[in-house]
Amino acid sequence: MSWAEIMDFVNSFCSPSVRLMPAADIPHTSFDIVDKALPTPHLLTAGDVAASSSVVPSSDSQYIFYTDGSLINLGTSDVSMGWSWVQIVKDSGFLNSIATYNRGIIHDWPSSSRAEAAAIYAALSASPANSVVHIYTDSQSSIEGLKHCFLSDYSNSRFYYKTTNFELWAIIQQLIVDKQLSVLPHKVKVHSNFYWNDFADSLANTAHTSDDAILISRLDLAAVHDYIMSYDDVVCESNPRHLFKQYHQMLYMKDLLALSRFRFISLLTDPSRYVVDWALTWHTLMFQPKFDNSFTKENVSRHHTLKFQLFLKNLPTLESLKRTRPDLYVEILTCRSCEDHLEDFMHLFLCKKCRVKLHQILTSYLRHLIQKIKEVGDNANCDYSSSIDRVTSLPCWTFSSNNWSSYSLVHGCLPTAFLEVFENLGISHLTAMNVVTAIYNNFINKFRKRIWNLRSYYKGLWEHTMNIFLKLKHSSRPKGLPKSSYLPYSSLPPLTHVDSRDSRTDWLKNSMQYGLFWFNHILGFMGRLTVLLNNRFCRMECRF
């Protein structure tokens, strides 16, 4: 049934004195900027929320509320947190038990627990002073948060700042103290088909697009502390210690992507179709296949090294060797496979001797993904055609000099779509990561056997002819040698787009406003990769 049908049904059976009351038009002084496609909600303070929420008076000062929260579109600019509360009048019969209700939304730091806490805040704001308030919720985190609010020293303890949404909970605690409320939390079993809880859930879900939804925004943030930490006008409600760490990790990530070897990330023509999943990328880089008689420990080590060399763009191509050992590799030396072009990193994939093989490997890569999707879909007994269409429509399956999504794929920067197609079929996140990782490692193994080993063979023949042996390559480089005239990474065009805003601000502020889950993936990725930024590969790029 639609929400309108439910409301008409309940109103038709309620007595004139107790009925579902739509939220009245509320005077307001300012508006928040939201998507023009959605109704513009009222912008209210804590006092306004209380004034707009008229509860049915109780003779014994006992008030019962069912609260719920709703979170949609996490990680996108359309993210929304809805909240609702429903007042219940006991001993009034089933149909007459719903006295009144309210619903709205809240912004910043999106999470389901924040939406649940906002619903409790709104219900307590509407409660009369000196009353006993029973809060029924299916959120265990909200019950724990309320229990902490009962501790007198909670807001002045270190534990307070380690609590998610600590400013919101501080307001709730101060509200309880100021109104002298006795709050009794009760746990409701989630998805138990309990009518009042489902009714609150329905309200919270419709708050995202409702034209009478109240926006809780300018809260009484100075209720318990003299100072409030904010970042770019967004109040910080996350562990400050973690937040500072995130900021510095963000700087590391910015420095990493600023390296010319990662410039291709900014050249993706359609980022919405190929978004790099950094957590998946790191998981794939660190994964080492088990070795046996057919895949020895030495092969595993070479396989692991090749993955990182591909990712860091540090394969020892001839152009790279010219810069490091110009005494051994002359300036005019060309690719030993085709003998037509200079052998830089991009040429490894565009060489006329390797192009067909690379296309075959990418086709095998896609076929392997489709096969796994079919297996998962058959086991789950669900339609997997849309998942296959999404994978095949990715622009990364044909390699060319201007297709940066395919360049990202062979580089090892894998897209979020690879994980999402498996997760949409009911596979857990970790299992999906392992499946994608195994397929990518198969690609690396084929690349090593069919392209890199053959290239190294032709190069080895030339080195043998020129008497460039291993001992000579490991000898000290003579001093005073001229540098190579080859411009490193010339295959990448210059940047054509510069953001008007500081990207550091955008990354951190977007995580506050939209809850970008990939932001935490970036931080975890950078925490592990920082040591690589200090190795000889990165120092080599700085020198040249």
Side-chain angles (χ1 to χ4, degrees), residues 302 304-316 345 411 452 536-537:
R302 290 178 179 176
H304 190 67
T305 300
L306 181 62
K307 283 194 297 185
F308 269 93
Q309 287 180 323
L310 270 174
F311 176 74
L312 294 173
K313 202 175 179 180
N314 198 64
L315 283 171
F345 189 84
H411 216 284
W452 182 250
R536 62 185 181 88
F537 302 141

Side-chain angles (χ1 to χ4, degrees), residues 273-294:
R273 297 180 64 190
Y274 198 101
V275 180
V276 177
D277 189 321
W278 294 106
L280 175 62
T281 297
W282 178 257
H283 184 81
T284 305
L285 286 172
M286 291 304 297
F287 180 84
Q288 294 193 29
K290 296 180 180 180
F291 52 87
D292 51 25
N293 293 334
S294 61

Side-chain angles (χ1 to χ4, degrees), residues 191-226:
H191 302 309
S192 57
N193 295 324
F194 191 67
Y195 176 73
W196 293 328
N197 189 60
D198 290 347
F199 193 88
D201 178 69
S202 175
L203 280 171
N205 290 330
T206 58
H208 304 293
T209 56
S210 175
D211 56 359
D212 62 358
I214 299 172
L215 170 61
I216 299 177
S217 179
R218 291 184 286 116
L219 301 173
D220 301 332
L221 296 175
V224 293
H225 296 99
D226 295 332

Side-chain angles (χ1 to χ4, degrees), residues 129-234:
N130 302 307
S131 59
V132 178
V133 182
H134 296 264
I135 298 293
Y136 288 83
T137 175
D138 57 16
S139 170
Q140 184 62 38
S141 63
S142 296
I143 292 178
E144 295 298 327
L146 279 174
K147 289 180 179 179
H148 291 314
C149 288
F150 304 150
L151 303 177
S152 58
D153 59 343
Y154 168 62
S155 295
N156 295 319
S157 66
R158 293 178 61 185
F159 176 74
Y160 165 74
Y161 288 101
K162 296 180 181 180
T163 304
T164 305
N165 305 312
F166 55 79
E167 289 291 356
L168 180 56
W169 283 113
I171 302 167
I172 293 174
Q173 183 188 44
Q174 192 66 29
L175 192 62
I176 295 173
V177 173
D178 292 344
K179 286 190 170 186
Q180 298 182 2
L181 301 175
S182 296
V183 182
L184 303 176
H186 303 275
K187 182 69 167 65
V188 179
K189 187 177 180 180
V190 66
H191 302 309
S192 57
N193 295 324
F194 191 67
Y195 176 73
W196 293 328
N197 189 60
D198 290 347
F199 193 88
D201 178 69
S202 175
L203 280 171
N205 290 330
T206 58
H208 304 293
T209 56
S210 175
D211 56 359
D212 62 358
I214 299 172
L215 170 61
I216 299 177
S217 179
R218 291 184 286 116
L219 301 173
D220 301 332
L221 296 175
V224 293
H225 296 99
D226 295 332
Y227 301 96
I228 296 174
M229 184 171 60
S230 64
Y231 182 84
D232 200 21
D233 297 329
V234 178

Side-chain angles (χ1 to χ4, degrees), residues 152-437:
S152 58
D153 59 343
Y154 168 62
S155 295
N156 295 319
S157 66
R158 293 178 61 185
F159 176 74
Y160 165 74
Y161 288 101
K162 296 180 181 180
T163 304
T164 305
N165 305 312
F166 55 79
E167 289 291 356
L168 180 56
W169 283 113
I171 302 167
I172 293 174
Q173 183 188 44
Q174 192 66 29
L175 192 62
I176 295 173
V177 173
D178 292 344
K179 286 190 170 186
Q180 298 182 2
L181 301 175
S182 296
V183 182
L184 303 176
H186 303 275
K187 182 69 167 65
V188 179
K189 187 177 180 180
V190 66
H191 302 309
S192 57
N193 295 324
F194 191 67
Y195 176 73
W196 293 328
N197 189 60
D198 290 347
F199 193 88
D201 178 69
S202 175
L203 280 171
N205 290 330
T206 58
H208 304 293
T209 56
S210 175
D211 56 359
D212 62 358
I214 299 172
L215 170 61
I216 299 177
S217 179
R218 291 184 286 116
L219 301 173
D220 301 332
L221 296 175
V224 293
H225 296 99
D226 295 332
Y227 301 96
I228 296 174
M229 184 171 60
S230 64
Y231 182 84
D232 200 21
D233 297 329
V234 178
V235 176
C236 300
E237 297 191 56
S238 177
N239 189 321
R241 192 169 186 170
H242 294 168
L243 193 64
F244 296 149
K245 185 181 295 185
Q246 287 179 347
Y247 178 76
H248 288 288
Q249 294 286 14
M250 180 180 58
L251 298 184
Y252 290 140
M253 188 67 184
K254 182 175 181 291
D255 292 339
L256 173 74
L257 297 183
L259 296 176
S260 57
R261 68 183 70 184
F262 291 103
R263 191 189 302 165
F264 66 90
I265 295 295
S266 62
L267 296 170
L268 292 171
T269 55
D270 189 357
S272 62
R273 297 180 64 190
Y274 198 101
V275 180
V276 177
D277 189 321
W278 294 106
L280 175 62
T281 297
W282 178 257
H283 184 81
T284 305
L285 286 172
M286 291 304 297
F287 180 84
Q288 294 193 29
K290 296 180 180 180
F291 52 87
D292 51 25
N293 293 334
S294 61
F295 202 68
T296 65
K297 187 174 182 179
E298 182 181 4
N299 288 335
V300 171
S301 177
R302 290 178 179 176
H303 179 90
H304 190 67
T305 300
L306 181 62
K307 283 194 297 185
F308 269 93
Q309 287 180 323
L310 270 174
F311 176 74
L312 294 173
K313 202 175 179 180
N314 198 64
L315 283 171
T317 61
L318 289 179
E319 294 308 319
S320 175
L321 294 172
K322 289 177 187 179
R323 297 194 300 274
T324 56
R325 294 303 301 266
D327 56 320
L328 301 180
Y329 301 91
V330 294
E331 184 71 22
I332 62 173
L333 186 63
T334 58
C335 171
R336 294 294 88 199
S337 296
C338 67
E339 300 184 353
D340 291 336
H341 295 83
L342 298 176
E343 188 191 66
D344 60 1
F345 189 84
M346 179 68 82
H347 181 70
L348 289 177
F349 311 102
L350 295 177
C351 177
K352 63 183 181 182
K353 296 289 186 179
C354 304
R355 194 176 305 168
V356 175
K357 295 177 182 178
L358 180 63
H359 177 71
Q360 292 174 347
I361 295 174
L362 289 176
T363 302
S364 175
Y365 196 143
L366 176 59
R367 186 167 58 248
H368 200 172
L369 270 173
I370 294 175
Q371 178 185 350
K372 289 298 180 182
I373 292 173
K374 289 181 178 179
E375 291 178 5
V376 172
D378 290 337
N379 291 334
N381 194 23
C382 59
D383 183 19
Y384 49 77
S385 57
S386 60
S387 298
I388 293 178
D389 291 341
R390 183 177 182 186
V391 170
T392 54
S393 64
L394 291 174
C396 57
W397 303 115
T398 304
F399 195 93
S400 66
S401 59
N402 57 0
N403 186 354
W404 301 109
S405 57
S406 59
Y407 188 81
S408 301
L409 181 64
V410 300
H411 216 284
C413 298
L414 305 181
T416 58
F418 282 6
L419 281 184
E420 291 172 353
V421 292
F422 287 103
E423 291 178 343
N424 291 339
L425 295 174
I427 299 298
S428 67
H429 183 73
L430 180 58
T431 303
M433 291 183 76
N434 289 334
V435 170
V436 175
T437 296

